[in-house]
Amino acid sequence: MEMGVDAVLVNTAIAVARDPAEMARAFRDAVDAGRRAFEAGLAPTRDEAEASSPLTGFLDPQ
Amino acid sequence: MRATDLDVSRAVAKPAGSRDLEDFAALIGPRAAARLEELARASHALTLRRFGRTVHMYAPLYLSNECLTTCTYCGFAKGLPIARKTLSVAQSLREGEFLRARGYRHVLLLTGEHQKLTGVDFLCEHVAALRALFPQISLEVQVWNEDEYRRLAAAGVDGVVIYQETYDPDSYARFHVAGKKRDYEFRLGGPERAARTGIRRLGIGALLGLHEPWREDAIALTAHALHLLKVAWRQELAVSVPRIRPSASGYSPEHPVTDRELAQLICALRLVLPDTGIVMSTREAPGFRDALVPLGVTHTSAGSHTDPGGYTEPGEAEGQFEVDDTRTPEEVADALRALGYEPVWKDWDALMRAGV
C-alpha cells in the first residue's frame, strides 16, 4: 500500500474462513488502518533503538 | 594514548566478560562521556541480565573510632581532637538489635586502626556475639596477616572490605603519613590473604578525591578487580568508588569528581566487570543514589551512622564523615521498590557453608 497500490483483491482467505463476512470486515479494517497510518505520517526511523525516557536525564539540571 | 570514538564503539560492542583494561580506559574517557546515555543503556541491560531487579542491603556498624594511624583526609585520624569511643560487646549487641529490627541481616563492622583496643581478639569477641543476630558479617578494619584472617573467619567473619584508598604509591605515601597503614604493599595484598582463608566476600575500592587524576585510580582499581577475579575466583567480589566527604579532618579535594563523571565510572565498571557487585553508600545524595541503581549499583546501605554507638546512643562520639542520604532503611527500600527493584536483606546463611 505504501508503494502505491490502488486496490486489494482478497478471495481465498475470505472464502474459506469459518465466518467469511467477519473475515471480510477484518480485511477492510486492516486496509483502512494502513491507509490512516500512512496519511497520519510515520515517526522518523532510526538505525538503533533509543529509550524515550533516558537513564541519564537526572544529570541534566532542569 | 587517547581513546578514540572507535575505541569507545569497540568497547561497547564487545560481549560482556571479554572487555579488558584498555576498554575500561576508553569507557571512562572524555570520548565516552559524550555518549553517556549509550553507555548507561548498555550498563543497565547488562546489570539486569546478571543481577535481576535486586539490590543487596547492608548496614555499617562502627565499633570504634580510636585510631593510631594518620590519614590526612579521615575524621578518625590520630591526633584529631574528637570524642572517641569503643563499644563493649553489650553495646554492639544493642546496635545490632536496632539494625536487625530494621530488617538488616548483613552488617559491616568498622573500626579505626588501633592495634590494642580493636585487635583480632576484640573483633573475634564482637563477631562471635553478633553472629546470633546476623547471618552475614563483614569487616572493614585494619589489614591482617593470613593467620589473623583465619582466626577472624573461624569466629564468623564472611566478608572483608579493604579500600586501597589510592593505588598511586606516591599519593598513598602523601596521604598516609603515620601508622601501620603506611605499608602500601601489605594493604594491597589484604584481600588475597583473606581469600586464602576461605572468607567468601571481598570488597575493594578507591577513595575518589585523593589522587589526581582520578581516572588513574579507577583504572588501577579495575586492574586489581580483574586480578582478584583470577586468583580469588571462589570469592564474591564487590567494588566501591566512594567520593570523599566533609569530615573533622578538614580535607577537601582540589578537583572533586562530578556526578556525571561518577555515573560514567559506574557504567564503565559494570561493562568491564559484569558479575562484580558495585557498592553505593549513604555518602551520596538520595535522588542521585536512586538514579544510579539502574546504571549498575547492586549493594547499598541506608539510615547509616558513622559514629560508634550512633544508632542507639547518638551524639556521644564523632562520625567518620557526614552522610548525605539520611533516609531511613524503610524509605530507601520503598524508593527501590518504586523503581521496580527488590531490596534483598538476606542472601546467605552460615548453613550454606556446611560441608565446605
Side-chain angles (χ1 to χ4, degrees):
Chain A
M1 284 168 67
E2 277 188 39
M3 289 166 72
V5 298
D6 291 317
V8 179
L9 181 63
V10 188
N11 184 354
T12 311
I14 291 174
V16 304
R18 189 172 44 77
D19 180 349
E22 186 62 9
M23 185 58 83
R25 277 191 287 273
F27 270 97
R28 185 196 62 197
D29 287 351
V31 170
D32 189 41
R35 182 65 190 168
R36 280 165 181 255
F38 179 74
E39 292 285 310
L42 292 170
T45 54
R46 293 193 179 88
D47 291 335
E48 286 172 11
E50 192 172 308
S52 49
S53 309
L55 287 163
T56 55
F58 70 96
L59 293 167
D60 302 314
Q62 297 301 308
Chain B
M1 199 182 71
R2 293 230 152 206
T4 63
D5 264 328
L6 191 61
D7 293 328
V8 177
S9 298
R10 273 201 204 105
V12 174
K14 277 190 184 180
S18 68
R19 299 186 181 103
D20 57 23
L21 211 51
E22 275 184 41
D23 296 322
F24 180 78
L27 292 171
I28 58 170
R31 289 295 187 159
R35 295 159 63 173
L36 184 53
E37 180 63 25
E38 182 187 344
L39 259 55
R41 266 182 275 138
S43 173
H44 174 61
L46 184 54
T47 309
L48 277 188
R49 273 207 298 282
R50 301 299 175 103
F51 291 89
R53 291 185 174 274
T54 62
V55 177
H56 177 94
M57 307 291 296
Y58 73 96
L61 201 178
Y62 281 75
L63 297 178
S64 173
N65 60 0
E66 292 284 353
C67 198
L68 296 177
T69 288
T70 309
C71 312
T72 55
Y73 51 85
C74 178
F76 289 172
K78 183 190 176 188
L80 285 178
I82 60 164
R84 307 257 179 189
K85 183 171 173 178
T86 300
L87 302 190
S88 66
V89 169
Q91 283 171 318
S92 72
L93 277 174
R94 270 204 295 280
E95 295 274 286
E97 276 154 15
F98 178 94
L99 291 170
R100 193 182 152 85
R102 270 143 196 85
Y104 286 110
R105 296 295 181 273
H106 180 193
V107 278
L108 173 66
L109 306 182
L110 299 100
T111 68
E113 300 210 339
H114 197 295
Q115 283 69 50
K116 278 202 183 125
L117 286 174
T118 59
V120 174
D121 290 338
F122 169 90
L123 293 170
C124 285
E125 208 186 332
H126 283 256
V127 169
L130 288 164
R131 270 179 92 168
L133 300 176
F134 299 102
Q136 290 170 247
I137 299 179
S138 298
L139 286 186
E140 185 171 351
V141 300
Q142 54 198 307
V143 288
W144 304 104
N145 66 34
E146 202 170 317
D147 287 339
E148 289 161 332
Y149 279 122
R150 193 158 282 117
R151 282 185 59 202
L152 291 164
V157 170
D158 77 344
V160 165
V161 176
I162 304 170
Y163 295 169
Q164 190 64 21
E165 322 295 11
T166 171
Y167 284 87
D168 182 88
D170 293 335
S171 291
Y172 189 91
R174 200 152 41 84
F175 286 108
H176 304 95
V177 294
K180 203 178 149 204
K181 193 171 168 180
R182 277 185 65 79
D183 192 338
Y184 174 99
E185 293 288 336
F186 187 66
R187 189 171 185 85
L188 191 62
E192 278 177 73
R193 289 196 298 278
R196 280 200 290 273
T197 70
I199 280 172
R200 211 175 50 78
R201 289 180 199 254
L202 299 177
I204 59 172
L207 185 51
L208 303 179
L210 299 183
H211 178 69
E212 287 180 354
W214 64 266
R215 286 185 178 88
E216 290 181 359
D217 261 345
I219 291 170
L221 169 68
T222 304
H224 191 190
L226 290 168
H227 170 74
L228 286 175
L229 290 174
K230 288 205 182 97
V231 299
W233 53 271
R234 288 182 185 82
Q235 275 66 28
E236 188 184 305
L237 181 66
V239 297
S240 182
V241 280
R243 289 190 290 189
I244 201 132
R245 294 281 304 153
S247 77
S249 72
Y251 174 83
S252 64
E254 221 168 298
H255 306 287
V257 174
T258 66
D259 286 358
R260 183 168 280 275
E261 287 169 337
L262 183 56
Q264 185 184 354
L265 175 54
I266 300 284
C267 294
L269 287 169
R270 168 59 60 234
L271 291 172
V272 177
L273 303 167
D275 297 306
T276 299
I278 298 178
V279 182
M280 178 73 38
S281 80
T282 55
R283 62 175 71 223
E284 300 294 349
F288 182 62
R289 257 170 32 112
D290 294 348
L292 287 180
V293 168
L295 267 53
V297 169
T298 54
H299 292 56
T300 198
S301 50
S304 304
H305 286 264
T306 71
D307 50 324
Y311 294 107
T312 56
E313 300 160 349
E316 290 190 5
E318 183 80 16
Q320 190 183 20
F321 56 85
E322 291 174 17
V323 303
D324 196 336
D325 186 346
T326 55
R327 291 175 297 178
T328 64
E330 294 92 83
E331 285 168 338
V332 170
D334 285 345
L336 289 171
R337 286 187 202 101
L339 284 168
Y341 285 75
E342 182 188 356
V344 174
W345 303 90
K346 180 180 174 184
D347 61 8
W348 176 258
D349 194 277
L351 278 175
M352 291 158 89
R353 276 192 85 84
V356 171

